Amino acid sequence: ADFSNSDLSGTDFSGADFSSGRFAGANFCGATLSGTDLSRARMAGANFSGGTLSNAVLDMADISGCCFSSCVMQDCTFSASKGGGAQADGSKIYGCAFHDAD
């Protein structure tokens, strides 16, 4: 599915499988992504500000230029993800794995 540039703010995506989805420039502000699978998703420039990511899987995802400001991220995996230019100012990050991420 292609959700590029979509307004998904405030939505609860707990347990959703968005693997390999397209979310470039999407607005996830204030969204809940608990147990959400975003592996291999293309999310360059997406905005997750104020969101909650818990046990989310972002392995091999393109998160370059994404904004994670003021997020709470707990026990997420970002293995081999591409995150050049991503921001996480003011975020609380607990137990997340960033193996081989750039």
Side-chain angles (χ1 to χ4, degrees), residues 34-80:
S34 179
T36 306
D37 185 355
L38 290 160
S39 56
R40 294 181 203 74
R42 291 172 283 183
M43 300 179 284
N47 189 347
F48 294 87
S49 294
T52 301
L53 291 85
S54 166
N55 295 303
V57 179
L58 292 94
D59 297 342
M60 295 183 279
D62 180 359
I63 57 170
S64 56
C66 285
C67 181
F68 292 96
S69 296
S70 301
C71 284
V72 175
M73 294 187 274
Q74 184 167 358
D75 300 321
C76 300
T77 60
F78 294 85
S79 297

Side-chain angles (χ1 to χ4, degrees), residues 9-52:
S9 58
T11 305
D12 185 347
F13 290 111
S14 295
D17 183 352
F18 290 133
S19 55
S20 299
R22 294 183 302 256
F23 297 94
N27 178 1
F28 285 96
C29 290
T32 300
L33 296 106
S34 179
T36 306
D37 185 355
L38 290 160
S39 56
R40 294 181 203 74
R42 291 172 283 183
M43 300 179 284
N47 189 347
F48 294 87
S49 294
T52 301

